[in-house]
Amino acid sequence: MTGHGTATMLERPQRRHVLDLDDFSREEIEQVFRAAEMMKEVLTRAIKQVPVLRGKTVVNLFWEASTRTRVSFELAAKSLSANVVSMTAAGSSVSKGESLLDTVRTLQALGADFIVIRHSESGAPYLVAQHFRGSVLNAGDGRHAHPSQALLDLFTIRERLGTIEGRKVVIIGDILHSRVARSNLWGLQTMGAHVVLCAPPTLLGAEAWWKQTWPGIEISYDLDEAVKGADVLMALRLQRERMQAGLLPSLREYSRHFALTAERVARARPEALVMHPGPMNEGIEIMPDVVTSPQSAIEEQVTNGVAIRMALLYLLAGGSQISL
Amino acid sequence: MSEERTEKQVLNADEMRRAIVRIAHEIAERNEGVADVLLIGIRRRGVPLAQRIAQALLDAEGVQVPVGQIDITLYRDDLSLRHPYPMVGPTHLPGDITGRTIVLVDDVLYTGRTVRAALDELADFGRPARIQLAVLIDRGHRELPIRADFIGKNLPTARDEMVEVHVSEIDGGEDGVFIVKGAS
């Protein structure tokens, strides 16, 4: 605007959706980080709002329970001045039998520019993306992907430890059911981290499958060994609602072998980070004293979630095909 | 269509330095000193210019004027026309702006839309007593009712020309102002 190109333009193919991290390059992840740093600054202002998405409509379709992701996306959209509508299956026409695609077509006709979707079926956001003219953000689908969570995890690691490359990251617990673990695997692999999956065999499944998809990873069934030299300890929630009978002998048995305790954290590197995507089963996969210890980044994960989601909405709006 | 690029220098490093010193003197004169003044550079090249004005004020008045920076990307009115979006930069204001005299600093004043965005952004941070505008170059072609209070040089230009300000802090090399025409 000053008559020469003062603004640095992003050099990347225009992205329209955020469905998983498998199609994010390292450069693109770093661009998300840079935008998120700026959004964090916006969130420290007295007026935590900028007009960049004024007049745009963001619809949160949460067909599965959520506190932090839904509130976080809602605050992110509002901080960018978008109009935000949040829906849950209960109380919508879904309870009258309306299909997902009918809902999407209705929202499109009502003028939605972004759909943020959480769904219990893996792949649901991809179906929506095929039938919606705007942008789709996957806020968690089945056990498949949760890209905004993985990005905020990566961002938090980078913020606390400075770098991600070469760090030993141990993902612990209910990996079988975890979309957070899968998206983190893509992101951590792209950023050059060394990932160890640590779980009982029944909560992991076939070792070969994991190594085929993410060749660099290591698999461990012994948490006391796996924590040695770790930079990041990422506990996952034991997803009892998805749990089939017989996967675990008992919660107490699971906890004895796979809970993050202060003793286990002490065997990792001194500055190691403790993370958890929430919600937590305190006393099962993580102990209360670990949650509140100085090494815990769990609260920062939540705070950073808003900035990351603001960054994603901002970058998508810039790359969208529709006339936003 | 392949017009050859031509470049004409309109200010050299010495002339740029003198223009900045003169702007600093005018700021002090207009405000009867600089006790209440905050300098805020518009990213990117307004920021080193604001720092240089602050240095000139320190030399002339013996007062260290606080310098901040503002990034107006999230307040632009043409974001929907730009694909993909430009990268956002940091905004840092030196303390509370309410009741202070703000001098906004930019390299080139052209359509006035950048200044409009900066004014909107500042209003979200507080209520300054007054806001003044200092630019190194005023090249005309305003699209909004905005004018500068302090101008280094008025430079009549055609719309198909570009004005490039080189500041050593960002661009390296020597300072200078150029009119560029043709392929960019």
Side-chain angles (χ1 to χ4, degrees):
Chain A
M1 267 189 284
T2 51
H4 59 264
T6 47
T8 317
M9 304 302 282
L10 299 179
E11 285 176 21
R12 60 176 168 83
Q14 292 183 358
R15 168 176 294 282
R16 190 164 144 209
H17 308 295
V18 177
L19 300 173
D20 198 356
L21 292 192
D22 55 354
D23 60 349
F24 272 72
S25 66
R26 186 185 280 223
E27 290 68 38
E28 196 173 6
I29 289 174
E30 274 164 6
Q31 275 161 352
V32 174
F33 289 168
R34 251 177 290 152
E37 280 168 7
M38 301 311 146
M39 297 307 175
K40 263 193 108 159
E41 183 269 312
V42 169
L43 292 171
T44 65
R45 298 180 186 180
I47 296 180
K48 300 188 248 307
Q49 196 172 34
V50 288
V52 71
L53 291 188
R54 201 155 53 98
K56 307 297 180 282
T57 301
V58 177
V59 178
N60 283 327
L61 274 189
F62 276 69
W63 276 192
E64 202 185 56
S66 166
T67 305
R68 70 208 74 221
T69 306
R70 185 165 60 84
V71 173
S72 176
F73 264 114
E74 204 168 313
L75 286 174
K78 286 180 172 169
S79 298
L80 298 177
S81 305
N83 300 317
V84 186
V85 182
S86 289
M87 298 174 62
T88 54
S92 77
S93 287
V94 172
S95 59
K96 300 179 188 168
E98 187 171 67
S99 76
L100 178 60
L101 286 184
D102 282 338
T103 305
V104 168
R105 279 190 281 266
T106 302
L107 294 172
Q108 181 155 287
L110 288 169
D113 297 296
F114 299 86
I115 290 180
V116 178
I117 178 168
R118 160 153 308 183
H119 203 284
S120 58
E121 294 296 327
S122 298
Y126 290 76
L127 182 68
V128 172
Q130 284 168 13
H131 292 84
F132 178 58
R133 280 200 297 269
S135 289
V136 177
L137 293 103
N138 182 1
D141 61 328
R143 41 171 99 170
H144 171 250
H146 196 348
S148 64
Q149 176 72 42
L151 284 168
L152 74 88
D153 290 340
L154 295 170
F155 184 71
T156 305
I157 294 171
R158 196 191 67 142
E159 202 174 61
R160 282 277 285 254
L161 300 180
T163 55
I164 300 171
E165 173 123 45
R167 297 289 184 180
K168 179 178 176 182
V169 181
V170 188
I171 304 179
I172 307 152
D174 190 357
I175 289 161
L176 183 67
H177 298 105
S178 179
R179 54 194 173 212
V180 175
R182 284 167 179 76
S183 284
N184 259 306
L185 277 163
W186 289 118
L188 287 164
Q189 179 177 270
T190 301
M191 299 309 285
H194 172 57
V195 184
V196 182
L197 300 181
C198 185
T202 49
L203 291 184
L204 195 61
E207 211 171 296
W209 183 83
W210 294 96
K211 291 198 163 164
Q212 207 175 343
T213 312
W214 296 284
I217 62 167
E218 194 183 314
I219 287 176
S220 162
Y221 302 108
D222 182 350
L223 185 55
D224 293 310
E225 275 304 310
V227 295
K228 287 181 186 163
D231 297 289
V232 178
L233 301 170
M234 191 183 289
L236 298 173
R237 181 173 65 91
L238 195 62
Q239 301 193 33
R240 284 180 283 178
E241 76 279 16
R242 292 187 221 272
M243 202 69 69
Q244 289 160 2
L247 286 181
L248 291 178
S250 74
L251 282 181
R252 187 190 292 189
E253 167 101 5
Y254 173 78
S255 193
R256 191 163 65 235
H257 292 290
F258 291 98
L260 263 189
T261 59
E263 295 73 46
R264 290 188 171 122
V265 173
R267 290 160 159 246
R269 295 171 67 122
E271 74 281 10
L273 281 192
V274 172
M275 304 177 78
H276 192 299
M280 292 178 278
N281 299 303
E282 284 187 54
I284 298 178
E285 73 260 3
I286 189 164
M287 294 303 152
D289 56 335
V290 173
V291 173
T292 53
S293 75
Q295 278 169 277
S296 165
I298 295 169
E299 266 183 49
E300 285 152 72
Q301 287 175 274
V302 178
T303 307
N304 285 339
V306 180
I308 282 285
R309 288 162 182 133
M310 286 169 78
L312 289 176
L313 287 167
Y314 173 73
L315 294 169
L316 280 187
S320 175
Q321 303 296 306
I322 53 167
S323 56
L324 274 168
Chain B
M1 193 58 216
S2 62
E3 198 186 343
E4 198 152 305
R5 179 186 160 99
T6 58
E7 200 180 275
K8 192 178 86 189
Q9 184 157 23
V10 289
L11 287 184
N12 63 27
D14 261 345
E15 290 162 334
M16 239 174 95
R17 182 181 50 75
R18 280 195 285 271
I20 289 165
V21 170
R22 182 170 49 74
I23 287 173
H25 284 290
E26 287 176 10
I27 289 171
E29 191 176 358
R30 172 85 59 93
N31 296 298
E32 296 170 354
V34 287
D36 278 332
V37 171
L38 295 180
L39 289 161
I40 295 177
I42 299 178
R43 267 184 47 94
R44 287 174 65 215
R45 286 177 182 73
V47 179
L49 293 176
Q51 283 156 349
R52 292 183 192 186
I53 292 171
Q55 183 60 47
L57 285 168
L58 181 63
D59 296 344
E61 303 284 314
V63 177
Q64 183 72 60
V65 176
V67 179
Q69 60 174 298
I70 191 165
D71 183 283
I72 55 96
T73 308
L74 298 172
Y75 286 76
R76 295 176 83 111
D77 63 2
D78 63 345
L79 275 176
S80 58
L81 310 174
R82 299 173 80 105
H83 292 306
Y85 278 12
M87 206 60 216
V88 196
T91 290
H92 298 296
L93 299 185
D96 190 4
I97 62 172
T98 299
R100 306 293 292 265
T101 295
I102 304 287
V103 180
L104 271 176
V105 183
D106 204 359
D107 56 348
V108 180
L109 179 58
Y110 182 29
T111 62
R113 289 178 191 270
T114 302
V115 175
R116 194 280 311 162
L119 293 173
D120 280 357
E121 181 157 8
L122 283 177
D124 280 352
F125 278 94
R127 186 179 181 281
R130 59 192 66 77
I131 302 178
Q132 297 165 348
L133 176 63
V135 296
L136 183 63
I137 301 293
D138 182 350
R139 63 166 293 191
H141 304 287
R142 214 80 74 239
E143 294 169 0
L144 296 171
I146 280 170
R147 57 156 182 76
D149 300 274
F150 312 104
I151 299 169
K153 186 176 175 61
N154 280 298
L155 194 61
T157 55
R159 276 186 179 273
D160 63 351
E161 292 171 327
M162 290 190 300
V163 176
E164 285 188 4
V165 175
H166 293 194
V167 290
S168 57
E169 294 94 322
I170 289 176
D171 305 293
E174 281 221 347
D175 290 343
V177 179
F178 303 84
I179 293 185
V180 181
K181 220 180 150 163
S184 54

